[in-house]
Amino acid sequence: VEHAASPGDERAIELLATAARDLQSPAPAVAARFHAAALRLLPERPENRELRTRMLRLLADAQAASGEPVAARETLLEALRAARDDERLALTVGVANMEWWLGRGEESRRRLQVALGDLPAEPSPDRIRLRLSLALAALETRDLDEVQVQTSDARDDARAIGDPVFEIAALAGGALARVTALDGADAERSLHESAEALERPSGEQLATRLPAFWMHGRARSALGEFEAALADFERGTAIAADTGRESVLLLLSVESVQTLIELGRLGEADAAAEEGVERARLSGIPRALLW
């Protein structure tokens, strides 16, 4: 169907889109291919605008998960150009996240700050997404006070709307910021709270917040808790591998190297480093290869 269908073939579009949605989590690279095929068949008419925007978002999610941030950013910018006002925020967060991956931190931060200023000052999923993305951008520039402000506000908003998955991401980011800032007892307390939160959700829920394992393991490693750090990296890696999250697999494999060295497991450290290099080369992101 992918190779034989003609433009405008609604049955073919539905078949490809359904296959792509089914594969979105277990095989995002294949899902991206099928989303792209369905989009090629979808006529660019006003009545298809909403469907096209939705399909572009799904395509970008699949591209990002399979380690293609450049393509994901271009897809999201295409979606933004035709999006309604109520669709623009989620797309903006997506673009900013891809810019973070590509090392364009300041550009990402400016985009997010403008979007946050346009939102009502009340808890909502959109506000939480913006704050988490701002925390990630601040973490890259080591603006640790800003990380703590954004993650604390995101945590409070997540609790206000009763979303434990958003809360996990906020707690993990806050714990890493406090440990990096050498906040002593506060850092250990924050890390303990984050560790408890990570035990509550299902694997399917955690798959949407896998960078939390990277942050959590990195914080544990900084405190000298190397066995526990490695357990976090391995748990995140297992979920990322099952769901085809290539970009997170790259982060986790690189981050685990220093922890394995500290544990004296040099053969495993060497293997993890080699895996990181290969994943970085496949990603096409120069700074990932530098890591």
Side-chain angles (χ1 to χ4, degrees), residues 11-27:
R11 289 179 63 194
I13 293 167
E14 179 59 27
L15 176 67
L16 289 162
T18 300
R21 287 193 299 271
D22 289 345
L23 292 166
Q24 192 84 3
S25 179

Side-chain angles (χ1 to χ4, degrees), residues 164-189:
V165 183
F166 275 138
E167 185 183 355
I168 285 169
L171 288 171
L176 178 54
R178 285 185 174 86
V179 169
T180 306
L182 303 175
D183 275 354
D186 282 345
E188 291 194 30
R189 190 161 47 247

Side-chain angles (χ1 to χ4, degrees), residues 36-56:
L39 278 161
R40 286 196 299 272
L41 299 176
L42 185 67
E44 291 197 39
R45 298 174 186 152
E47 61 269 26
N48 291 332
R49 190 209 59 79
E50 187 174 344
L51 175 59
R52 175 171 288 277
T53 300
R54 185 164 65 249
M55 290 169 68
L56 284 168

Side-chain angles (χ1 to χ4, degrees), residues 63-84:
Q63 289 169 327
S66 58
E68 296 185 73
V70 174
R73 180 178 180 273
E74 290 303 313
T75 299
L76 288 165
L77 288 172
E78 181 183 346
L80 257 176
R81 285 190 281 271
R84 296 192 312 260

Side-chain angles (χ1 to χ4, degrees), residues 13-286:
I13 293 167
E14 179 59 27
L15 176 67
L16 289 162
T18 300
R21 287 193 299 271
D22 289 345
L23 292 166
Q24 192 84 3
S25 179
V30 182
R33 198 182 96 201
F34 288 160
H35 281 308
L39 278 161
R40 286 196 299 272
L41 299 176
L42 185 67
E44 291 197 39
R45 298 174 186 152
E47 61 269 26
N48 291 332
R49 190 209 59 79
E50 187 174 344
L51 175 59
R52 175 171 288 277
T53 300
R54 185 164 65 249
M55 290 169 68
L56 284 168
R57 283 185 62 179
L58 288 168
L59 170 58
D61 285 346
Q63 289 169 327
S66 58
E68 296 185 73
V70 174
R73 180 178 180 273
E74 290 303 313
T75 299
L76 288 165
L77 288 172
E78 181 183 346
L80 257 176
R81 285 190 281 271
R84 296 192 312 260
D85 288 346
D86 62 342
E87 298 169 329
R88 297 185 67 79
L89 186 65
L91 293 168
T92 297
V93 172
V95 173
N97 286 342
M98 293 308 101
E99 287 169 342
W100 179 86
W101 270 105
L102 295 167
R104 300 163 69 166
E106 281 307 312
E107 192 175 344
S108 170
R109 256 176 119 166
R110 285 194 299 272
R111 191 185 295 277
L112 293 166
Q113 284 164 345
V114 169
L116 185 61
D118 291 340
L119 276 183
E122 58 188 38
S124 70
D126 285 338
R127 262 177 77 86
I128 296 169
R129 288 189 188 95
L130 282 171
R131 291 201 179 282
L132 291 174
S133 295
L134 279 165
L136 195 62
L139 192 61
E140 184 179 8
T141 58
R142 295 184 69 81
D143 187 347
L144 301 178
D145 289 339
E146 175 71 2
V147 177
Q148 292 194 31
V149 167
Q150 297 297 348
T151 54
S152 293
D153 287 347
R155 176 204 61 203
D156 292 344
D157 282 359
R159 288 172 176 170
I161 67 172
D163 192 312
V165 183
F166 275 138
E167 185 183 355
I168 285 169
L171 288 171
L176 178 54
R178 285 185 174 86
V179 169
T180 306
L182 303 175
D183 275 354
D186 282 345
E188 291 194 30
R189 190 161 47 247
S190 179
L191 187 57
H192 179 70
E193 186 181 13
S194 178
E196 287 189 335
L198 270 174
E199 296 305 315
R200 292 195 288 267
S202 67
E204 187 176 342
Q205 289 175 311
L206 288 172
T208 66
R209 291 290 174 264
L210 284 176
F213 287 102
W214 163 63
M215 295 178 186
H216 205 261
R218 190 172 185 175
R220 282 196 189 278
S221 191
L223 289 178
E225 300 177 7
F226 300 118
E227 291 284 1
L230 190 60
D232 283 329
F233 295 141
E234 289 175 344
R235 188 177 172 203
T237 295
I239 299 173
D242 285 345
T243 54
R245 298 300 196 255
E246 291 295 328
S247 55
V248 183
L249 278 171
L250 170 58
L251 270 182
L252 292 167
S253 63
V254 171
E255 197 66 50
S256 69
V257 174
Q258 187 60 37
T259 301
L260 287 163
I261 291 172
E262 295 287 352
L263 290 168
R265 294 160 63 171
L266 302 185
E268 292 173 68
D270 185 55
E274 290 293 341
E275 180 185 343
V277 170
E278 288 307 309
R279 290 190 183 281
R281 285 192 172 127
L282 289 169
S283 76
I285 306 171

